[in-house]
């Protein structure tokens, strides 16, 4: 059965990159996984159920909830970058970034919590950008907001026996990272004590742990996976290195 045998897990942004790696790890650990995304999966697994879902669509969330009589975990992984820098931040970029990165997780929680029994787990994927200032204004502010939503949810849902935790990845090699400028990559890499960017394989096992009963007494936690980057906080150096480019 595996460590997650009998558990139903919903993963947003599960078609590619970090989300796809999480989906694979969860399925291999025995979970029944429902992977949602606005994109088609690159490598579709036969042991995973795929559903198209825009996390900003409240009705879409309700339709998904109607398909699932029970849910043991929700991983709010879907996110967008929003890299425009102050003062040149477009309102459309700002609103879209908050819609996906903050409202999406809220809608998921609202839709699926009624189906969650005691012992269930919600994991919000934040970012190290939620620990300090960062030049991508909309992205940073949205991840700080998601971090706050995580704390509030851990308080409100604890009485139901539902755990809520945040995972804060650093620079992970995903399609999102591929779109970063070479200047950003070089400057950031120089500041990572472990001397490398992360891979999706550095994140996926943590998701399995947080869904599993081995983390039964963890809630409201913020787990940083960044190779030591925020151990010394160097975002101003990165910002200076990339000049006016995000």
């Amino acid at each position: 059965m595996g460590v997650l045998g009998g558990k139903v897990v919903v993963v947003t942004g599960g078609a590619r990159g970090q989300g796809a790696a999480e989906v694979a790890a969860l399925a291999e650990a025995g979970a029944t996984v429902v992977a949602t995304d606005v994109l088609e999966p690159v490598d579709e697994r036969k042991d995973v159920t795929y559903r198209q879902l825009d996390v900003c669509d409240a009705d879409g969330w309700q339709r998904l909830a109607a398909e699932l009589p029970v849910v043991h975990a929700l991983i709010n992984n879907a996110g967008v970058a929003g890299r425009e820098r102050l003062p040149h931040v477009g309102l459309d970029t700002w609103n879209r970034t908050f819609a996906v990165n903050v409202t999406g997780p809220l809608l998921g929680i609202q839709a699926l919590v009624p189906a969650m029994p005691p012992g269930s787990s919600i994991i919000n994927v934040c970012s190290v950008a939620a620990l300090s200032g960062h030049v991508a204004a909309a992205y940073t502010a949205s991840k700080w907001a998601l971090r706050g939503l995580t704390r509030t949810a851990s308080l409100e849902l604890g009485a139901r026996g539902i755990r809520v935790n945040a995972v804060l990845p650093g620079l992970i090699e995903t399609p999102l990272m591929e779109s970063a400028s070479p200047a950003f990559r070089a400057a950031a890499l120089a500041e990572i004590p472990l001397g490398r960017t992360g891979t999706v394989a550095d994140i996926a096992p943590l998701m399995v742990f947080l869904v599993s009963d081995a983390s039964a007494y963890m809630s409201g936690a913020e787990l940083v996976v960044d190779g030591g980057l925020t151990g010394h906080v160097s975002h101003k150096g990165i910002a200076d290195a990339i000049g006016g480019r995000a």
Side-chain angles (χ1 to χ4, degrees):
M1 288 286 288
V3 68
L4 300 183
K7 293 186 181 292
V8 177
V9 184
V10 174
V11 181
T12 69
R16 304 183 183 185
Q18 184 175 296
E22 294 165 7
V23 166
L26 293 162
E28 289 164 9
T32 298
V33 183
V34 179
T36 76
D37 210 310
V38 294
L39 303 172
E40 293 295 326
V42 175
D43 297 308
E44 188 167 340
R45 295 177 60 102
K46 294 181 179 179
D47 56 351
V48 171
T49 299
Y50 293 90
R51 291 287 183 270
Q52 188 168 51
L53 174 70
D54 180 344
V55 295
C56 307
D57 179 8
D59 291 337
W61 273 112
Q62 292 302 323
R63 288 192 294 271
L64 178 64
E67 296 181 23
L68 302 172
V70 63
V71 176
H72 299 96
L74 165 63
I75 300 179
N76 286 310
N77 177 81
V80 293
R83 291 197 178 101
E84 292 176 356
R85 296 176 63 168
L86 292 170
H88 309 293
V89 179
L91 189 56
D92 287 345
T93 296
W94 181 268
N95 289 340
R96 176 62 178 166
T97 304
F98 268 78
V100 175
N101 293 359
V102 187
T103 305
L106 172 66
L107 293 174
I109 291 169
Q110 290 176 321
L112 298 186
V113 157
M116 289 186 163
S120 294
S121 175
I122 296 172
I123 305 162
N124 292 329
V125 180
C126 293
S127 165
V128 293
L131 294 175
S132 63
H134 191 278
V135 296
Y139 181 77
T140 300
S142 71
K143 291 301 186 178
W144 275 87
L146 182 56
R147 184 181 171 200
L149 177 61
T150 304
R151 290 288 187 94
T152 298
S154 71
L155 289 175
E156 296 281 51
L157 302 180
R160 294 172 174 257
I162 298 173
R163 301 175 289 112
V164 189
N165 295 290
V167 172
L168 288 73
L171 302 179
I172 307 300
E173 294 295 342
T174 66
L176 201 66
M177 183 63 180
E178 289 173 4
S179 64
S181 70
F184 173 87
R185 177 184 289 273
L189 186 60
E191 300 293 343
I192 300 173
L194 288 186
R196 67 172 178 88
T197 54
T199 70
V200 293
D202 293 314
I203 304 297
L206 180 57
M207 299 302 185
V208 173
F209 170 70
L210 290 174
V211 170
S212 78
D213 295 338
S215 58
Y217 199 55
M218 290 182 65
S219 193
E222 298 171 345
L223 304 173
V224 179
V225 188
D226 70 351
L229 175 62
T230 53
H232 62 108
V233 185
S234 55
H235 287 166
K236 185 178 185 304
I238 296 172
D240 292 343
I242 62 178
R245 294 174 296 175

